[in-house]
């Protein structure tokens, strides 16, 4: 069950998008984030979908992988959809029952929000998690936020914590599965029963997982110490971030695409 | 000559014991290690070995005493980074020492911290990766490497720092025999080429026998030291420290005891070939006319009944992408036998045993389990619950599944899930605790404050409390010291005597062969052979052809037999044993029979 979550999992195809500077990708990501939340018209949404698929093709990521990132958040999408449908009561009433009113405006808004969430997840995966190693993401963040060091924000430490957290996701998923199997063989059942019972059942997984995580943290700290870790001071980089002409070109192309979509949206409104 | 000099080292952890005193781990350790040497540190769990390693790398600071490394005092704050950067460590758990997500990023972590600038940094990383044979995998995700590869990655990370000293803290403990051998060969090769001082902390006696010098630590002091020959010949030291001796030493001792001959001087006992020759010549030259006692027949209660309690028929299992994990498995498990399942990492052992407990429902084929008069089918949903009570399954490192506040509650968990009435539980729990050999007072303690060995027993009790007829154990002794291992196998034997059927998954051929009634060898998802170990390993040539590792004792005995065959052509050897004394007697018997036939 848990093994299907591909959040935080790098999927290497060696494409141009994989080799692009993480800072460029992050800025592009912010641009797309803004674009996705600015547009409203179906045409613009279709265009964003098209661009996302072009990005997928450029990154050479198979649809199966992207499906695995989108499917787990579908319950959330449905939830947001329903929330939007019932909370907006303006417009023409289509259906009414007790306190629930469904209107055309409500449905329109709900569809828009649901699509936005899906595009958001897809962009996050394509531009960041699937095409960028966690270490590069944290390198990129460290570099982008490095001006904050002046006001004593521990930028290096924060990016280190993040990259270690991401590095341990697959390890902890494996461990969770192992513990679950062990408890199931002692008679635990995680799939039946009411919600409360199921939550209670997960205690048998969470406590061992916490205990072993603390042990891991302790051992990792010793291992990092042994390898002379002393914070960001004087640290060099094997693969220093460098923005090349290709990066700039890619940034320009995708930024103008996003700008184009937003412009189309404004014209059609 | 430059040395690592340690004088009167003391160290205590500041966690308070019940007595209110700090827990003293090292109580005055003094030792001297020559530069460029290959040294092993042995000792039972909790004897302070790992602490010593940490003190050398200044990962901890001593309460008192001095450590001088190649002339630099480690208490000198100016030399701190100098010493630490010249001293690299590889720890036990492969997962908990990888920092980088991608292989090459992880190797670079050390030199990056040292501030090595770029063309040199890249060169160091590439060279280290090539040295351990991971260069082709440099862009791979570290999490996707196998256990053996992860440990090699850790060596690469250490090498990239260009260390003078390499400390291996039980670095091979979690590896299978094949990866372990590869790892050791790699370390020795690196040492030969770079002249690095290697200090290895280990529970593996064969590994220690490869070193130049051994230190034995017990209760925080050095209990003995010397060359492997000196240390392993000191039987009192080995016994008192809960250690074991490599097989070839046991053979020499057995000859000595049985033939009353002192081993001739001049032979290097630590060299397997030399000691094989020594043993062969002792047997051939002895005035061996005395009585050779017969082996006592196997006890009646120990013999399996021959009634099949689990039937696996035509079982196959494959992943979505079509690659087979298990293929055409046909296997019977007999009531009250010990069946050892042996195979390399990733051969499908875990997948197979997961079927026994219905954790995996058979995709193709059948798994039938007898419980009383009933026959349970693992693919039938309503039988699953019954199967889980009939078959107790304990995965590797089961102590990681403990979660309750007290041992009592943790053991109770399975009973609760089975719906056993509350008033019946206390007696059952006490019985299970006693069965695994734990003291009664452990019951109210937290499972997180007892020792590692006790935790494992609590986890076993948590399964045994459900009174399963069949007990499946996946590497029950992994990570334990020799004494702990011996006790674990004693426990397994006693469980069998009480009527349990035991399926033992292991990659340790020696332990598997010594304890099992039958051995099932698995390779690439198929059964290579199921046989009585004495039958199976008798023909070591055939075993090798089939890709089955043979136990060390059998391999050594074979060397002795080969030498004897050279002297006495056409000699036929009888039954084989997995005990040095019995094996020596068996060889003596064969020699006598041969001579009697030829003299007549």
């Amino acid at each position: 069950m848990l093994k299907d979550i591909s959040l935080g999992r790098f999927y290497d195809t060696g494409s141009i998008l994989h080799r692009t500077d993480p800072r460029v990708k992050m800025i592009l990501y912010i641009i797309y984030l803004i674009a996705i939340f600015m547009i409203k018209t179906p045409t613009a949404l279709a265009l964003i979908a098209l661009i996302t698929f072009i990005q997928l093709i450029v990154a050479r990521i198979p649809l199966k992988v992207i499906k695995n990132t989108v499917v787990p958040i579908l319950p959330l999408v449905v939830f947001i959809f329903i929330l939007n449908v019932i909370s907006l009561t303006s417009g023409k009433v289509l259906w009414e029952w007790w306190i629930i009113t469904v209107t055309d405006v409500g449905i329109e808004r709900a569809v828009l929000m649901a699509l936005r969430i899906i595009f958001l997840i897809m962009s996050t995966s394509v531009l960041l998690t699937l095409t960028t190693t966690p270490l590069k993401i944290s390198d990129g963040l460290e570099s982008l936020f490095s001006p904050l060091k002046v006001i004593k924000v521990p930028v290096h430490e924060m990016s280190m914590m993040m990259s270690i957290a991401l590095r341990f996701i697959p390890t902890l998923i494996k461990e969770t599965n192992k513990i679950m199997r062990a408890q199931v063989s002692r008679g635990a059942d995680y799939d039946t029963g009411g919600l409360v019972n199921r939550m209670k059942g997960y205690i048998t997984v969470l406590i061992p997982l916490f205990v072993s995580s603390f042990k891991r943290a302790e051992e990792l700290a010793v291992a990092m110490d042994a390898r002379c870790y002393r914070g960001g001071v004087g640290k060099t980089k094997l693969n220093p971030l460098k923005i090349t002409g290709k990066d700039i070109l890619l940034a320009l192309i995708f930024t103008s695409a996003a700008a184009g979509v937003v412009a189309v949206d404004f014209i059609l409104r | 000559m430059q040395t690592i000099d340690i004088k009167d080292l003391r160290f205590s952890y500041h966690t308070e014991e019940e007595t209110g005193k700090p827990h003293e781990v090292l109580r005055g350790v003094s030792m001297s290690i020559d530069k460029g040497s290959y040294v092993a540190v042995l000792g039972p769990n909790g004897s302070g070995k790992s602490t010593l390693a940490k003190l050398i790398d200044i990962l901890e600071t001593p309460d008192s005493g001095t450590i001088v490394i190649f002339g630099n005092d480690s208490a000198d704050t100016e030399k701190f980074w100098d010493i630490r950067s010249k001293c690299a460590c590889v720890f036990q758990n492969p997962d908990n020492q990888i920092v980088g997500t991608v292989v090459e990023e992880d190797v670079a972590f050390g030199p990056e911290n040292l501030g090595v600038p770029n063309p040199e940094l890249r060169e160091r990383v590439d060279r280290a990766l090539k040295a351990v044979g991971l260069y082709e995998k440099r862009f791979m995700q570290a999490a996707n490497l196998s256990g053996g590869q992860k440990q090699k990655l850790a060596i690469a990370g250490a090498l990239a720092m260009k260390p003078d000293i390499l400390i291996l803290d039980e670095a091979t403990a979690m590896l299978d025999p094949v990866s372990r051998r590869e790892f050791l060969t790699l370390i020795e090769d690196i040492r030969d080429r770079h002249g690095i001082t290697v200090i290895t902390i280990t529970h593996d006696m064969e590994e220690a026998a490869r070193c130049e010098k051994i230190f034995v630590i017990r209760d925080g002091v050095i209990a003995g030291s010397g060359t492997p020959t000196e240390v392993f010949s000191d039987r009192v030291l080995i016994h008192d420290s809960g250690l074991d001796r490599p097989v070839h030493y046991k053979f020499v001792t057995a000859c000595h005891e049985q033939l009353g001959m002192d081993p001739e001087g001049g032979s290097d006992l630590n060299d397997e070939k030399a000691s094989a020759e020594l043993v062969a010549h002792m047997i051939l030259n002895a005035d061996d006319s005395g009585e050779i006692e017969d082996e006592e027949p196997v006890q009646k209660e120990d013999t399996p009944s021959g009634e099949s309690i689990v039937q696996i028929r035509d079982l196959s299992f494959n992943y979505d992408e079509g690659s087979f994990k298990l293929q055409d498995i046909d296997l019977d498990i007999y009531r009250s036998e010990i069946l050892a399942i042996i195979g390399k990492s990733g051969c499908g052992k875990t997948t197979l045993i997961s079927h026994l407990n219905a954790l995996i429902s058979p995709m193709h084929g059948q798994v039938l389990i007898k419980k009383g008069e009933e026959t349970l089918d693992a693919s039938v949903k309503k039988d699953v619950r019954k199967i889980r009570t009939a078959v107790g399954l304990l995965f590797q490192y089961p102590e990681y599944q403990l979660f309750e506040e007290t041992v009592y509650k943790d053991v109770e968990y399975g009973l609760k899930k089975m719906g056993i009435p509350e008033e019946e539980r206390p007696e059952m729990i006490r019985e299970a605790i006693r069965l695994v050999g734990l003291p009664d007072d452990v019951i109210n303690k937290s499972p997180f404050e007892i020792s590692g060995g006790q935790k494992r027993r609590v986890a076993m009790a948590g399964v045994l409390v459900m009174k399963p007829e069949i007990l499946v154990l996946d590497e029950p002794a992994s990570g334990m010291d020799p004494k702990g291992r011996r006790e674990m196998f004693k426990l397994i034997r006693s469980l069998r005597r009480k009527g349990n059927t035991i399926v033992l998954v292991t990659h340790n051929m020696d332990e598997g062969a010594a304890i099992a009634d039958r051995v099932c060898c698995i390779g690439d998802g198929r059964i290579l052979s199921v046989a009585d170990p004495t039958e199976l390993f008798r023909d070591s040539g055939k075993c090798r052809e089939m890709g089955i590792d043979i136990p060390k004792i059998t391999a050594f005995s074979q060397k002795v037999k080969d030498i004897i065959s050279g002297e006495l052509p056409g000699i036929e050897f009888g039954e084989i044993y997995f005990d040095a004394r019995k094996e020596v007697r068996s060889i003596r018997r064969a020699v006598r029979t041969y001579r009697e036939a030829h003299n007549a």
Side-chain angles (χ1 to χ4, degrees), chain B residues 269-281:
Chain B
L269 284 186
N270 199 42
D271 183 57
E272 271 193 46
K273 215 176 138 212
S275 46
E277 273 166 20
L278 178 69
V279 168
H281 288 124

Side-chain angles (χ1 to χ4, degrees), chain A residues 24-36 127 144:
Chain A
V24 170
K25 280 188 270 190
M26 278 174 203
I27 293 168
L28 271 181
Y29 172 63
I30 304 282
I31 291 171
Y32 273 85
L33 212 65
I34 296 168
I36 286 167
L127 286 172
L144 283 179

Side-chain angles (χ1 to χ4, degrees), chain B residues 16 32 58 103 175 224 313 328 338 404 539-540 583 595:
Chain B
E16 294 214 336
S32 170
I58 334 185
V103 169
L175 302 182
R313 293 283 171 271
D328 314 326
I338 298 183
E404 276 287 5
D539 193 345
S540 45
E583 188 68 8
R595 284 191 172 143

Side-chain angles (χ1 to χ4, degrees), chain A residues 2-266:
Chain A
L2 279 165
K3 65 177 186 283
D4 296 330
I5 298 174
S6 65
L7 177 78
R9 276 208 191 163
F10 178 58
Y11 188 89
D12 194 11
T13 62
S15 78
I16 179 158
L17 212 56
H18 285 74
R19 279 175 282 137
T20 305
D21 189 287
R23 289 168 295 183
V24 170
K25 280 188 270 190
M26 278 174 203
I27 293 168
L28 271 181
Y29 172 63
I30 304 282
I31 291 171
Y32 273 85
L33 212 65
I34 296 168
I36 286 167
F37 279 89
M38 275 174 78
I39 57 175
K40 286 198 178 95
T41 61
T43 322
L45 280 169
L47 283 173
I48 280 287
L50 183 71
I51 294 170
T52 311
F53 278 106
I54 291 172
Q55 286 171 348
L56 267 178
I57 292 161
V58 172
R60 296 208 297 268
I61 288 169
L63 279 176
K64 205 179 123 198
V65 176
I66 201 80
K67 195 190 95 193
N68 286 344
T69 55
V70 175
V71 169
I73 56 119
L74 281 183
L76 180 73
V77 173
V78 172
F79 178 71
I80 288 174
F81 181 85
I82 293 170
L83 205 69
N84 271 283
V85 167
I86 57 175
S87 65
L88 263 164
T89 47
S90 58
K92 207 175 101 203
V93 175
L94 297 175
W95 188 69
E96 209 169 359
W97 177 73
W98 192 36
I99 51 162
I100 298 167
T101 322
V102 177
T103 66
D104 58 344
V105 177
I107 287 192
E108 214 182 290
R109 176 59 70 88
V111 168
L112 181 67
M113 282 311 289
L115 284 175
R116 276 177 179 166
I117 301 283
I118 290 173
F119 287 138
L120 179 77
I121 295 297
M122 283 176 77
S123 303
T124 318
S125 314
V126 178
L127 286 172
L128 292 176
T129 49
L130 288 173
T131 60
T132 323
T133 63
L135 208 68
K136 276 209 179 126
I137 291 182
S138 67
D139 269 5
L141 280 179
E142 189 179 347
S143 165
L144 283 179
F145 285 105
S146 57
L148 293 183
K149 277 181 193 164
V150 180
I151 54 163
K152 299 252 155 76
V153 176
V155 176
H156 168 79
E157 283 72 12
M158 283 162 76
S159 89
M160 194 71 207
M161 284 194 289
M162 197 183 105
S163 88
I164 287 173
L166 288 170
R167 139 81 187 89
F168 272 89
I169 286 176
T171 310
L172 291 181
I173 288 177
K174 246 187 235 166
E175 173 129 0
T176 310
N177 282 325
K178 234 161 72 188
I179 296 170
M180 278 175 86
R181 274 193 325 186
Q183 307 295 28
V184 167
S185 78
R186 285 169 84 189
D189 191 349
Y190 298 109
D191 302 324
T192 55
L195 188 69
V196 178
N197 252 328
R198 259 197 254 185
M199 292 303 236
K200 263 167 103 182
Y202 274 101
I203 288 177
T204 62
V205 181
L206 287 177
I207 290 177
L209 194 64
F210 266 65
V211 171
S212 87
S213 298
F214 280 122
K215 191 170 171 253
R216 280 182 196 282
E218 222 169 275
E219 286 186 23
L220 184 72
V222 172
M224 283 170 72
D225 254 349
R227 287 164 84 180
C228 296
Y229 179 71
R230 46 188 147 174
V233 187
K235 199 173 186 312
T236 49
K237 289 241 182 284
L238 176 68
N239 300 312
L241 299 177
K242 223 169 87 193
I243 293 185
T244 62
K246 263 190 202 158
D247 291 336
I248 294 171
L249 194 66
L250 191 120
L252 282 177
I253 294 172
F254 280 117
T255 310
S256 41
V261 173
V262 175
V264 167
D265 186 70
F266 269 100

Side-chain angles (χ1 to χ4, degrees), chain A residues 10 133-135 160 167-168 171 174 181-188 204 207-208 211 215-216 219-220 222-230 234-240, chain B residues 57 59 81 84-85 93 95-100 102 104-106 108-109 112-113 115-116 118 121-122 141 143 161 357 359 388 393 400-403 410 413-414 417 448:
Chain A
F10 178 58
T133 63
L135 208 68
M160 194 71 207
R167 139 81 187 89
F168 272 89
T171 310
K174 246 187 235 166
R181 274 193 325 186
Q183 307 295 28
V184 167
S185 78
R186 285 169 84 189
T204 62
I207 290 177
V211 171
K215 191 170 171 253
R216 280 182 196 282
E219 286 186 23
L220 184 72
V222 172
M224 283 170 72
D225 254 349
R227 287 164 84 180
C228 296
Y229 179 71
R230 46 188 147 174
K235 199 173 186 312
T236 49
K237 289 241 182 284
L238 176 68
N239 300 312
Chain B
D57 200 5
L59 295 166
W81 289 110
R84 192 180 269 182
S85 65
N93 191 329
D95 275 316
N96 297 355
Q97 49 189 318
I98 295 171
V99 186
V102 172
E104 66 163 20
E105 283 171 350
D106 184 64
F109 184 71
E112 277 178 354
N113 289 330
V116 176
N118 221 321
L121 178 60
R122 165 59 63 189
Q141 277 210 75
M161 296 173 74
N357 186 262
L359 273 182
R388 291 203 179 133
L393 174 57
Y400 290 143
Q401 73 194 37
L402 303 177
F403 67 95
D410 210 292
Y413 179 70
K417 287 286 153 188
F448 300 111

Side-chain angles (χ1 to χ4, degrees), chain B residues 309-521:
Chain B
I309 187 167
V310 176
Q311 296 167 338
I312 302 172
R313 293 283 171 271
D314 198 23
L315 182 71
S316 294
F317 178 85
N318 59 305
Y319 289 125
D320 302 342
E321 65 271 29
S323 63
F324 275 95
K325 192 74 197 175
L326 286 179
Q327 223 170 340
D328 314 326
I329 302 281
D330 276 296
L331 182 65
D332 279 283
I333 298 171
Y334 301 120
R335 189 180 292 280
S336 62
E337 74 165 341
I338 298 183
L339 172 74
I341 297 182
I342 297 185
K344 299 190 177 89
S345 301
C347 71
K349 287 176 297 187
T350 310
T351 314
L352 177 59
I353 59 166
S354 299
H355 279 92
L356 294 179
N357 186 262
L359 273 182
I360 300 178
S361 126
M363 231 177 217
H364 180 83
Q366 258 190 330
V367 177
L368 301 175
I369 289 147
K370 268 197 201 139
K371 186 178 199 249
E373 293 299 300
E374 277 180 287
T375 301
L376 306 168
D377 186 334
S379 55
V380 176
K381 215 160 184 187
K382 70 171 177 46
D383 283 354
V384 166
R385 217 185 169 77
K386 283 183 188 160
I387 289 175
R388 291 203 179 133
T389 59
V391 184
L393 174 57
L394 222 65
F395 286 109
Q396 210 172 353
Y397 299 103
E399 52 272 31
Y400 290 143
Q401 73 194 37
L402 303 177
F403 67 95
E404 276 287 5
E405 293 158 61
T406 63
V407 168
Y408 180 90
K409 282 189 183 170
D410 210 292
V411 177
E412 189 186 20
Y413 179 70
L415 296 179
K416 232 167 23 186
K417 287 286 153 188
M418 267 169 65
I420 301 285
E422 209 160 345
E423 59 275 10
E424 287 173 31
R425 291 181 202 160
E427 196 37 53
M428 293 173 87
I429 293 165
R430 282 213 177 81
E431 203 184 315
I433 291 283
R434 262 177 238 140
L435 197 58
V436 296
L438 285 173
D440 281 352
D441 67 330
V442 95
I443 248 175
N444 294 318
K445 285 190 182 162
S446 153
F448 300 111
E449 63 176 21
I450 54 181
S451 79
Q454 287 183 323
K455 276 184 202 167
R456 190 164 295 181
R457 281 163 191 252
V458 170
M460 282 179 90
V463 169
L464 284 168
V465 76
M466 295 187 271
K467 303 213 159 103
E469 278 177 73
I470 305 160
L471 191 59
V472 184
L473 303 169
D474 188 356
E475 298 285 355
S478 56
M480 298 181 115
D481 59 14
K483 195 175 165 215
R485 296 186 87 96
R486 281 197 294 268
E487 279 168 3
M488 180 54 72
F489 283 104
K490 218 166 109 190
L491 171 62
I492 292 171
R493 278 206 192 91
S494 82
L495 288 175
R496 195 268 288 272
R497 263 200 300 281
K498 294 199 172 82
N500 282 90
T501 306
I502 287 164
V503 178
L504 177 71
V505 177
T506 177
H507 46 225
N508 188 320
M509 281 285 173
D510 286 73
E511 286 167 352
I515 196 176
D517 299 302
R518 291 189 307 149
V519 172
C520 167
C521 295

